[in-house]
Amino acid sequence: MSVSKPVLRLHPAYRDDIGDLVTRRPVPNRTLNNIGAFLFLNHHGPQTYAPNNRGLPFGPHPHRGFETVTFILEGDLAHRDSGGHESIIHAGGVQWMTAGSGLVHEEVSPEAFKRSGGPMEILQLWVNLPARLKMTQPGYTGVQADQIPAIAGDNTKVHLVSGEYQGATGAITSLTGVFMTWIELQPGGQISFDGLGGRDIFCYVVRGDVAINGADVAKWNLVEFAEGDLVDIEAVSGSLVLFGHAEPIREPIVAHGPFVMNTPQEIHQAYADYQAGKFG
């Protein structure tokens, strides 16, 4: 018999704006370094850019040792990296980048968005890689909204980025078996996920108000769970929830700036390799 995962505590996202870019971050924070394999979340926006704006500020910068998953909820995002990958992803799409042994990338607003302006809301999640994959071949997949399975339920819609759900397979295959979705819920909409015992759970309320395993959770809160098998989400108002789970990586985490490795020596090597031009 399944046992609900009790809500241990909520972690409100704190404001940490980047120039004129509205940014909230629920993890890491002063009391929480990570949620298992899930290392970091930046929630940019929601905000509206005026015409002739400067766009997003994320020019070329390096990464090694983990993956970035970027959800474009509103607006457009242009990606380019040293592995030769390039795309413009529109609202409802996702970018999944495996930094692996090292990439330099930029995530900026396309010229058309800078000219015209418009609404913008973007989530970027960092997902750890185990030691055996930290130096894997870098990779990138960008998918538009119509490439992501959308499974409709009773006042719910699950956008299946990776993993399997109700016979559907996500648009992206995760190297480590990460299940990742975002879920739209209308008032009264309810959805349950079972079989989560022993998994790291990532559950962040982007919009609206929900009840999760009996606990009231408002927007801009990350949920930390105790042990159990089942997560039940019910919408009090129109809501959007980022929800995923992953196999635990029981290894040391040493993070510094754009690199996430297992030892300080590996961090030093990452900086040395980047400065030597080995990331391309």
Side-chain angles (χ1 to χ4, degrees):
M1 183 175 176
S2 295
V3 177
S4 290
K5 297 176 76 69
V7 172
L8 269 182
R9 59 185 64 88
L10 303 180
H11 298 274
Y14 64 92
R15 282 288 290 269
D16 189 17
D17 293 355
I18 303 169
D20 61 358
L21 176 61
V22 173
T23 300
R24 294 176 174 85
R25 185 176 306 121
V27 63
N29 61 48
R30 277 173 276 180
T31 60
L32 183 72
N33 290 326
N34 57 289
I35 294 280
F38 301 102
L39 304 170
F40 172 102
L41 180 72
N42 262 355
H43 180 178
H44 303 301
Q47 66 191 98
T48 299
Y49 277 70
N52 302 311
N53 62 80
R54 293 176 297 174
L56 295 169
F58 305 117
H61 58 281
H63 289 302
R64 171 180 280 180
F66 63 101
E67 300 184 286
T68 65
V69 187
T70 309
F71 306 82
I72 300 92
L73 302 180
E74 295 281 355
D76 303 296
L77 185 61
H79 169 99
R80 185 172 62 170
D81 66 46
S82 56
H85 310 106
E86 191 168 353
S87 69
I88 295 176
I89 303 298
H90 307 295
V94 171
Q95 297 179 162
W96 192 304
M97 187 184 83
T98 302
S101 61
L103 275 179
V104 178
H105 78 143
E106 65 176 10
E107 293 173 300
V108 297
S109 298
E111 291 301 320
F113 182 86
K114 290 194 284 187
R115 285 194 303 270
S116 301
M120 189 284 305
E121 186 172 18
I122 291 172
L123 309 170
Q124 184 169 96
L125 177 66
W126 291 12
V127 181
N128 201 10
L129 288 171
R132 64 182 178 84
L133 291 174
K134 284 196 176 292
M135 297 296 286
T136 196
Q137 179 76 22
Y140 169 83
T141 303
V143 292
Q144 305 290 0
D146 61 4
Q147 298 173 275
I148 299 172
I151 299 99
D154 186 14
N155 290 322
T156 65
K157 184 180 289 185
V158 174
H159 299 267
L160 186 59
V161 177
S162 66
E164 297 185 356
Y165 180 75
Q166 291 191 355
T169 300
I172 296 169
T173 301
S174 162
L175 291 175
T176 55
V178 173
F179 176 87
M180 183 55 58
T181 69
W182 80 91
I183 308 159
E184 296 178 274
L185 302 103
Q186 300 305 313
Q190 185 173 355
I191 191 166
S192 295
F193 297 91
D194 204 347
L196 302 177
R199 300 281 285 181
D200 295 334
I201 309 299
F202 194 88
C203 184
Y204 174 69
V205 179
V206 180
R207 302 174 190 162
D209 298 276
V210 298
I212 300 179
N213 288 358
D216 294 332
V217 186
K219 67 179 180 180
W220 305 337
N221 275 277
L222 177 71
V223 183
E224 184 180 0
F225 294 95
E227 282 302 314
D229 308 297
L230 177 71
V231 170
D232 182 78
I233 304 170
E234 183 173 0
V236 177
S237 61
S239 304
L240 191 152
V241 177
L242 185 65
F243 182 83
H245 51 85
E247 187 73 20
I249 300 173
R250 296 182 175 89
E251 299 172 355
I253 297 172
V254 180
H256 194 278
F259 307 127
V260 181
M261 304 301 289
N262 297 111
T263 69
Q265 293 76 17
E266 290 171 335
I267 294 290
H268 297 321
Q269 189 63 54
Y271 276 102
D273 290 346
Y274 171 58
Q275 291 162 359
K278 294 183 179 180
F279 286 23

